[in-house]
Amino acid sequence: MKTNELEKEIGLSKYTIRYYEKEGLIQPKREENGYRDYDDETVQKLKIIKFLRNLQISVDDIKAILDGELDFRHCLKINQVNMQKQIESMNEIKDTIDDYYDKDLPLIEELSEIKNNNNKMGLGFQKTTSTVSLGRKLTPELARRQLIITFIGALVVAVSFSRMPYDLGNMRVLVGIVFFIVTFMLMIAFSFKQTSAMMLDNILNQSVEFLSDGIYYYQFNGPISNFKYFFAVVFNKKHQFMHKCLYEDIKKLEVIAKKKYMSTGSPLAYETYVSDFKFTFKDGQTFYFYWPMILNDDARYIATIVEKKVEYIEDPYNILYAMKQGINLNDYLIGR
């Protein structure tokens, strides 16, 4: 069988076949005119070589197997171990690629050392996006869920009001409807409030995402703006309300530690520390983020990103250090 026929027969290029010949795996016969002639035995040997190469067995090991110097099963065991190590290595690489792509992370090598250890948290604190963020981003799914809850709440309040012993005559139904609409709008508009001492009110529906090239956020502009933004999110039209600032356009970041007293509904309150973030941009605008809730890994990502990307940082209590180390803020600040 001539070389061109052999190429078609077994699916190897002539360069690969000649390489195997050079390495001593095959010894084709030569015709009087110098052309190579591959007999059936050589063809079968090449098929075996191709099979073994597909198993990622090295040329040296293949030669040893064909020469009877290496047991095939023993070789498979060695390759099995090596292959498992390669799979683990490739999985680590894939996880890193997925992490950088899904989170839209900037090109900072240290971020690859942060592992995915985010735990699900109760009380509505679950992350709503895959990106790195302060707070909890309002997504269409979350907004629709809040819409249903708010609708039911406003309806209960309106019905309760309409049943009160007021002498409203025929206006009772109309007053109930008006009361429902007003209550519903107010509940939506003020669902962004961040000044209450209640835990759940302080991170509601606001977030700052730290993306590959800058931060992405919604700037509170009062109840009417909040109401419009809420329904824009419901209908996937939020982009007109969102702001993006490139890292190079952030003039300063202030990390502010504050002592607060929190209540979970009981008459008793307890002392706790919270951190606020104030961004000052080079165009003179500012963005103040109150008391953000941060999951552990996001805290590490954020601290690493801002230290690398933001030109000037004011952090008198070294909050970013605590974030990078995954230290609880109360544990870190008590006694300082």
Coordinates of all heavy atoms in Angstrom, one line a residue, residues 1-3 17-18 21 28-31 33-38:
M1 N 0.9 -1.2 0.0 CA 0.0 0.0 0.0 C 0.9 1.2 0.0 O 1.8 1.4 0.8 CB -0.9 0.0 1.2 CG -1.9 1.2 1.3 SD -3.0 1.1 2.7 CE -3.9 -0.3 2.4
K2 N 0.6 2.2 -0.9 CA 1.4 3.4 -1.0 C 0.9 4.4 0.0 O -0.1 4.3 0.7 CB 1.2 4.0 -2.4 CG 1.6 3.1 -3.6 CD 3.1 2.8 -3.5 CE 3.6 2.0 -4.7 NZ 3.1 0.6 -4.7
T3 N 1.8 5.4 0.2 CA 1.6 6.4 1.3 C 0.2 7.1 1.1 O -0.5 7.3 2.1 CB 2.7 7.4 1.3 OG1 4.0 6.7 1.5 CG2 2.5 8.4 2.5
I17 N 2.9 9.8 9.6 CA 3.4 8.4 9.3 C 4.9 8.4 9.3 O 5.5 7.5 9.8 CB 2.8 7.9 8.0 CG1 1.2 7.8 8.1 CG2 3.4 6.6 7.6 CD1 0.5 7.5 6.8
R18 N 5.5 9.4 8.6 CA 6.9 9.4 8.5 C 7.6 9.7 9.9 O 8.7 9.3 10.1 CB 7.4 10.5 7.5 CG 7.0 10.0 6.1 CD 7.4 11.0 5.0 NE 7.0 10.5 3.7 CZ 7.0 11.3 2.6 NH1 7.5 12.5 2.6 NH2 6.6 10.8 1.4
E21 N 7.8 6.5 11.6 CA 8.9 5.8 11.0 C 10.2 6.3 11.6 O 11.1 5.4 11.9 CB 8.8 5.9 9.5 CG 10.0 5.2 8.8 CD 10.0 5.4 7.3 OE1 9.0 5.9 6.8 OE2 11.0 5.0 6.6
P28 N 8.6 0.5 7.1 CA 8.0 0.1 5.9 C 9.0 -0.4 4.9 O 10.2 0.0 5.0 CB 7.3 1.4 5.4 CG 8.1 2.5 6.0 CD 8.5 1.9 7.3
K29 N 8.6 -1.3 4.0 CA 9.5 -1.8 3.0 C 9.7 -0.7 1.9 O 8.9 0.2 1.7 CB 8.9 -3.1 2.4 CG 8.8 -4.2 3.3 CD 8.1 -5.4 2.7 CE 8.0 -6.6 3.7 NZ 7.3 -7.7 3.1
R30 N 10.8 -0.8 1.2 CA 11.1 0.1 0.1 C 11.1 -0.7 -1.2 O 11.7 -1.7 -1.3 CB 12.5 0.7 0.3 CG 12.6 1.6 1.5 CD 12.1 3.0 1.2 NE 12.3 4.0 2.3 CZ 12.3 5.3 2.2 NH1 12.0 5.8 1.0 NH2 12.4 6.1 3.2
E31 N 10.5 -0.1 -2.2 CA 10.5 -0.6 -3.5 C 11.8 -0.2 -4.2 O 12.6 0.6 -3.7 CB 9.3 -0.2 -4.3 CG 8.0 -0.6 -3.7 CD 6.8 -0.2 -4.6 OE1 6.9 0.7 -5.4 OE2 5.7 -0.7 -4.4
N33 N 12.2 1.6 -6.7 CA 12.3 3.1 -7.1 C 12.4 4.0 -5.8 O 12.3 5.2 -5.9 CB 11.1 3.4 -7.9 CG 9.7 3.1 -7.2 OD1 9.7 2.7 -6.0 ND2 8.7 3.2 -7.9
G34 N 12.4 3.4 -4.6 CA 12.6 4.1 -3.4 C 11.3 4.5 -2.7 O 11.3 5.0 -1.6
Y35 N 10.1 4.2 -3.3 CA 8.8 4.5 -2.7 C 8.6 3.5 -1.6 O 9.0 2.3 -1.7 CB 7.7 4.4 -3.7 CG 7.7 5.5 -4.7 CD1 7.9 5.3 -6.1 CD2 7.5 6.9 -4.3 CE1 7.9 6.4 -7.0 CE2 7.5 7.9 -5.2 CZ 7.7 7.7 -6.5 OH 7.7 8.7 -7.4
R36 N 7.9 4.0 -0.6 CA 7.5 3.1 0.6 C 6.4 2.3 0.2 O 5.4 2.7 -0.4 CB 7.2 4.0 1.8 CG 8.4 4.8 2.4 CD 7.9 5.7 3.5 NE 9.0 6.4 4.1 CZ 9.6 7.5 3.6 NH1 9.2 8.0 2.4 NH2 10.6 8.1 4.2
D37 N 6.4 1.0 0.8 CA 5.3 0.1 0.6 C 4.9 -0.4 1.9 O 5.8 -1.0 2.7 CB 5.7 -1.0 -0.4 CG 4.5 -2.0 -0.6 OD1 3.4 -1.5 -0.9 OD2 4.7 -3.2 -0.5
Y38 N 3.7 -0.2 2.3 CA 3.2 -0.6 3.7 C 2.4 -1.9 3.5 O 1.3 -1.9 2.9 CB 2.3 0.5 4.3 CG 3.1 1.8 4.4 CD1 3.0 2.8 3.4 CD2 3.8 2.1 5.6 CE1 3.7 4.0 3.5 CE2 4.4 3.3 5.7 CZ 4.4 4.3 4.7 OH 5.1 5.4 4.8

